[in-house]
DNA sequence: ATAACTTTGTGAATGTAATCACTACTTAAA
DNA sequence: TTTAAGTAGTGATTACATTCACAAAGTTAT
């Protein structure tokens, strides 16, 4: 069951299942069928069953899936049964919003340090953190065992910052800058880019 | 050449080409080969050529693509040769960040109105706009010819707000709330969800 | 007990997307 | 002018993803 034997599209869907199952659990549902889950997520029951079958047999014929059990299994599969420490690079407008966003922490993603290249920013306090200079990156990432970097610097600086993160063994990058960064194979990058989303949307709106 | 005869994955990639071509143009490059574009975007030249071939023949054998010409054609294909008017629903922390984000406007996406359900917010001024009450949505969307709705309300309110937008003939939705909204076939929705991105990333980091 | 339903898990079949590989053409150098 | 190198466009091929469809197993009602 190594990572490469599972299609990436399947991995991308697992978090959707996790979210739906969390909601069902919070709503008091104990058991759910692939049919119900499918109508909730607008996908076919067969696809859900096939996706899950890459990882094991979690359901019961004639009945469905135990919500809490399946949720627990999926969280384990995705590595969500532990805490992930992240650092933020760039504490401008977006950086502020990210640090103050309460949505990461309950899911186990903790921002534990913030950096900025501007000496006017360094030393200021944001959301409980002292902003640190980029020179401290190596030391802090290493000491705090940070494995994810969140990049919120201007587009022109993004590639450089990302390379610095990778040099320091950060293996996961969440990039908000509107660029297509070049990263080595063993680095996992995810881009958040609302403009790209809008630009593909308009094709269907014309 | 109707929308449905083009694979959606292809449409999702076109904005990447648009961005890369814009950068090349700004950098003074006149001509680019699928090879070069491919190494810039980390994809195979064949895929780029195949993608473009759905829409026409834009290149010259032995030479490559004229950057400005291809850029113009792609912008036209995507419907980016016009201005798109959008409204924002929910002017909390994220809403503020979105309204003040300078990245939409240069790409032709103009936020022209902001709404909020909280009477304390209504009437306040943000980024040059008076925040309007939800009751005005129908009238304003119609009069200002708004075709895109940007949703930045709490998750619990998102489905309801999205339905209200759709009732008023808004056909494109950019949703920031962490939910999987149900929308009719003729509505185009794009979700921005950094937590989902992180949750699929960790699968590869474990 | 039995019968009528329900639902999973999964090979097989179908559908979709990416890549290959070649022709036709362009450019630039010899 | 001729030759060598480079590139687009595209059918054919290969690889990948989704859906189908059904046996096996569990559930509910009588
Ligand atoms: N994806 C999104 O939703 C979204 C939304 C808004 C902004 N953005 C993007 O996020 C980025 C930041 O936007 P913003 O509005 O916060 O910009 P900003 O100018 O307000 O902030 C950028 C910060 O990065 C710092 N910085 C610059 N170069 C640096 C470097 N080399 N190393 C470390 N820090 C550096 C600056 O000092 C500044 O504090 C931009 O690329 C913008 O396009 C993305
Ligand atoms: N995708 C992202 O990057 C990202 C980042 C931050 C926040 N979020 C999400 O965006 C949403 C907003 O986050 P926030 O931090 O700005 O929250 P917030 O509470 O600061 O703001 C929400 C705003 O929506 C308004 N609102 C509530 N119900 C409404 C309704 N029915 N109609 C109209 N307006 C209504 C509220 O009055 C408030 O002004 C949340 O769902 C949050 O999870 C997403």
């Amino acid at each position: 069951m190594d990572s490469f034997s599972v299609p990436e599209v399947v991995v991308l869907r697992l978090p959707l299942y996790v979210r739906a199952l969390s909601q069902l659990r919070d709503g008091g549902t104990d058991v759910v069928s692939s049919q119900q889950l499918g109508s909730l997520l607008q996908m076919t029951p067969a696809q859900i069953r096939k996706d899950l079958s890459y990882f094991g047999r979690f359901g019961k014929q004639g009945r469905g899936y135990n919500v809490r059990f399946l949720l627990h299994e999926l969280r384990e599969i995705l590595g969500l049964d532990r805490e992930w420490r992240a650092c933020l690079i760039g504490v401008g407008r977006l950086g502020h919003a990210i640090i103050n966003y309460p949505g990461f922490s309950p899911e186990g993603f903790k921002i534990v340090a913030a950096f900025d290249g501007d000496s006017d920013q360094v030393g200021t306090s944001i959301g409980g953190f002292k902003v640190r200079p980029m020179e401290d990156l190596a030391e802090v990432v290493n000491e705090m065992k940070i494995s994810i970097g969140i990049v919120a610097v201007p587009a022109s600086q993004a590639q450089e910052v990302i390379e610095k993160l990778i040099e320091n063994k950060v293996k996961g990058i969440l990039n908000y800058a509107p660029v297509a960064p070049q990263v080595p194979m063993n680095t996992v990058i995810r881009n958040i880019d609302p403009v790209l989303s809008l630009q593909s949307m308009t094709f269907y709106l014309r």
Side-chain angles (χ1 to χ4, degrees), chain A residues 89-94 116-118 121 134 152-155 157 161 176-178 192 194:
Chain A
I89 323 288
V91 294
R93 270 179 311 228
L94 176 64
D116 202 289
D118 181 356
Q121 294 282 359
M134 291 302 282
V153 300
Q157 306 295 312
V161 164
Y176 284 84
I192 304 292

Side-chain angles (χ1 to χ4, degrees), chain A residues 6-206:
Chain A
V6 181
E8 183 164 7
V9 275
V10 173
V11 175
L12 292 174
R13 282 192 293 264
L14 297 186
L16 296 173
Y17 303 152
V18 167
R19 178 169 291 162
L21 289 165
S22 302
Q23 279 167 1
L24 287 168
R25 182 203 51 196
D26 295 348
T29 305
D30 288 332
V31 175
V32 69
S33 67
S34 58
Q35 179 84 72
Q36 294 171 297
L37 210 45
S39 83
L40 217 58
L41 290 169
Q42 312 237 149
M43 51 202 295
T44 65
Q47 179 159 74
I48 292 171
R49 295 200 302 275
K50 186 62 127 185
D51 283 357
L52 297 179
S53 77
Y54 283 99
F55 304 98
R57 308 170 58 149
F58 307 110
K60 215 174 189 179
Q61 283 142 325
R63 196 163 157 70
Y65 301 88
N66 178 296
V67 171
R68 302 182 96 94
F69 173 68
L70 180 56
L71 181 54
H72 178 267
E73 293 297 301
L74 288 180
R75 291 185 59 87
E76 193 166 292
I77 289 163
L78 284 168
L80 304 176
D81 52 350
R82 46 161 286 198
E83 181 179 302
W84 291 90
R85 281 181 293 288
C87 65
L88 172 71
I89 323 288
V91 294
R93 270 179 311 228
L94 176 64
H96 271 78
I98 290 171
I99 274 207
N100 292 311
Y101 179 45
F104 290 126
S105 179
E107 300 298 331
F109 298 97
K110 311 278 184 192
I111 299 177
V112 296
F115 298 88
D116 202 289
D118 181 356
S119 55
D120 289 354
Q121 294 282 359
V122 172
T124 62
S125 249
I126 301 175
F129 302 104
K130 265 247 181 64
V131 176
R132 302 171 193 257
M134 291 302 282
E135 293 77 44
D136 291 4
L137 189 76
E139 189 190 325
V140 173
V141 161
N142 183 49
E143 283 189 359
M144 297 187 99
K145 295 194 189 310
I146 289 170
S147 44
I148 296 174
I150 304 180
V151 176
V153 300
S156 60
Q157 306 295 312
Q159 180 68 38
E160 187 186 315
V161 164
I162 288 169
E163 280 168 15
K164 199 155 180 188
L165 284 166
I166 294 173
E167 270 169 37
N168 288 291
K169 316 247 184 308
V170 173
K171 290 281 187 299
I173 308 270
L174 186 68
N175 170 50
Y176 284 84
V179 290
Q182 314 258 335
V183 299
M185 285 287 292
N186 71 345
T187 302
V188 187
I189 186 157
R190 296 285 184 265
N191 298 297
I192 304 292
D193 200 327
V195 171
L196 290 186
S197 297
L198 289 171
Q199 286 180 330
S200 66
M201 176 190 289
T202 52
F203 178 79
Y204 298 102
L205 297 181
R206 285 167 323 168

